[in-house]
Amino acid sequence: VKKFKSLMIPYFTFSVISIVLFSFMIKLMPSLSEQSGFFNQLFVVLYGNSRPDIMKWNTPLWFLPCLFAVLVVVYVIERSMQNNVGGAAVRLLVIIVSFVAGVLFETNVDVRLPMQMESGIFMIGFVEIGVILSKCDFSEQVKKISAFKIMLISIGLLVIGSLVSHINGFAEVRTYYYGKNGFLFIITSVTMSMAFLLIAMLFENSKIWKVIGVNSMVVLLLHKFPIVFFQSICPGVKSLLSKPTTMSGTFMAILVAILVIALCNMAGYFIKKVCPESLGKKRKKMEKKLC
């Protein structure tokens, strides 16, 4: 129930808002895209699958129903293991089955499941890795290591992940494509995730990162629109962003990312004050009294 409130309520709310906003944007900028009728779009929202590209009003929202479905599956698995011995072995088995099934599905089964569970099958393994790290008090163990060693380990993981990613080629979970080899995708994902997790732990007391972290949901929900604005209104931005391997393209991507995060955080502050329910949050008691 808690996850439904925090994931699915924002998903439904901002899907409808995005459909309305995107309809207006198409009238102002016809070059964006055409979209199907309103009720067809609502069906897509309820079904929760964005493939091949039918959530153009706000494609990143596909992640929320998929994440919710994956967490429900993991919840059932974890509840079934309560009071049972061999939890670590069961989790390891679940990870292996998830990864093997995910790779086999991607190469042999072209299906669009509710809540995009064709991709979610693969993601169950990653969540279970997170559960194992949590059970092992990973964050407490990392605190015992010096910052210098953590940075060296992080750099090493980033190098390995980047090299394997280069070998594997383009991959994207949303489009149900894991590159040349799904197992190489797993190596890249695990190494890069661990690297960024370690780096984040080095800056866990940073107020700036805490603010961005707290508002990460708002960034996910809204970043589509400022990016479309920068690409459509600002001359040259779209062409530079289409060349991410160049120095100018990288600089523009970083600049746009910073501006988008800042704008989304400003919007998030306003939303939390005016209508926190849209984010699946309760109003503070003091605010209720004032109202």
Side-chain angles (χ1 to χ4, degrees):
V1 172
K2 182 180 177 181
K3 291 299 180 184
F4 184 89
K5 289 178 180 177
S6 63
L7 295 174
M8 296 306 291
I9 288 180
Y11 168 71
F12 289 128
T13 303
F14 284 87
S15 289
V16 175
I17 292 172
S18 298
I19 290 171
V20 174
L21 283 176
F22 199 67
S23 299
F24 281 110
M25 290 175 70
I26 286 177
K27 291 180 180 178
L28 295 173
M29 295 174 281
S31 59
L32 280 178
S33 176
E34 290 294 332
Q35 58 179 0
S36 57
F38 183 76
F39 289 105
N40 287 335
Q41 294 166 54
L42 287 182
F43 174 77
V44 172
V45 172
L46 292 173
Y47 196 71
N49 194 306
S50 68
R51 295 176 56 229
D53 192 15
I54 53 176
M55 282 187 181
K56 290 185 177 180
W57 58 84
N58 201 340
T59 305
L61 294 183
W62 78 272
F63 179 70
L64 296 178
C66 183
L67 177 60
F68 175 71
V70 168
L71 291 177
V72 169
V73 173
V74 172
Y75 174 79
V76 172
I77 293 170
E78 291 298 316
R79 282 297 295 266
S80 67
M81 288 192 296
Q82 286 187 353
N83 302 321
N84 292 331
V85 295
V90 174
R91 291 187 186 101
L92 183 60
L93 179 62
V94 170
I95 291 168
I96 294 171
V97 171
S98 167
F99 286 163
V100 172
V103 172
L104 291 177
F105 259 68
E106 187 256 340
T107 52
N108 298 289
V109 182
D110 186 13
V111 62
R112 287 190 285 174
L113 298 175
M115 295 186 166
Q116 207 148 331
M117 274 305 288
E118 67 270 26
S119 297
I121 292 169
F122 204 27
M123 300 302 104
I124 291 169
F126 291 105
V127 177
E128 284 292 354
I129 291 175
V131 172
I132 290 175
L133 292 178
S134 176
K135 297 288 184 182
C136 295
D137 291 326
F138 177 74
S139 59
E140 295 300 320
Q141 298 300 322
V142 170
K143 289 178 182 178
K144 298 177 183 178
I145 306 173
S146 67
F148 180 72
K149 288 183 179 179
I150 293 175
M151 188 56 69
L152 284 180
I153 295 170
S154 301
I155 292 172
L157 290 170
L158 286 172
V159 170
I160 294 170
S162 299
L163 289 174
V164 177
S165 176
H166 180 72
I167 295 169
N168 193 37
F170 175 81
E172 186 180 36
V173 175
R174 188 196 73 79
T175 55
Y176 193 43
Y177 180 70
Y178 308 133
K180 296 175 184 176
N181 187 292
F183 294 105
L184 292 179
F185 176 80
I186 294 169
I187 295 172
T188 300
S189 301
V190 172
T191 53
M192 298 292 268
S193 296
M194 290 297 296
F196 282 109
L197 183 60
L198 290 171
I199 293 170
M201 288 180 178
L202 289 176
F203 299 97
E204 65 178 347
N205 295 319
S206 169
K207 291 183 179 180
I208 294 176
W209 294 120
K210 281 185 177 180
V211 169
I212 294 173
V214 167
N215 291 307
S216 59
M217 172 63 81
V218 176
V219 175
L220 174 75
L221 295 168
L222 298 178
H223 75 271
K224 160 96 175 184
F225 297 101
I227 288 177
V228 170
F229 172 80
F230 286 124
Q231 289 181 330
S232 304
I233 303 299
C234 303
V237 171
K238 187 173 183 177
S239 60
L240 286 174
L241 291 177
S242 65
K243 303 172 183 175
T245 56
T246 64
M247 184 67 72
S248 57
T250 301
F251 175 78
M252 181 57 68
I254 294 172
L255 178 61
V256 169
I258 292 172
L259 290 172
V260 167
I261 290 172
L263 289 170
C264 289
N265 273 266
M266 291 168 61
Y269 178 81
F270 176 78
I271 292 169
K272 286 178 181 178
K273 288 291 183 181
V274 176
C275 188
E277 294 86 355
S278 65
L279 297 173
K281 299 180 180 295
K282 294 181 179 179
R283 288 182 183 270
K284 294 180 180 179
K285 292 182 179 179
M286 184 61 70
E287 291 177 346
K288 285 184 177 180
K289 289 179 181 179
L290 290 173
C291 293

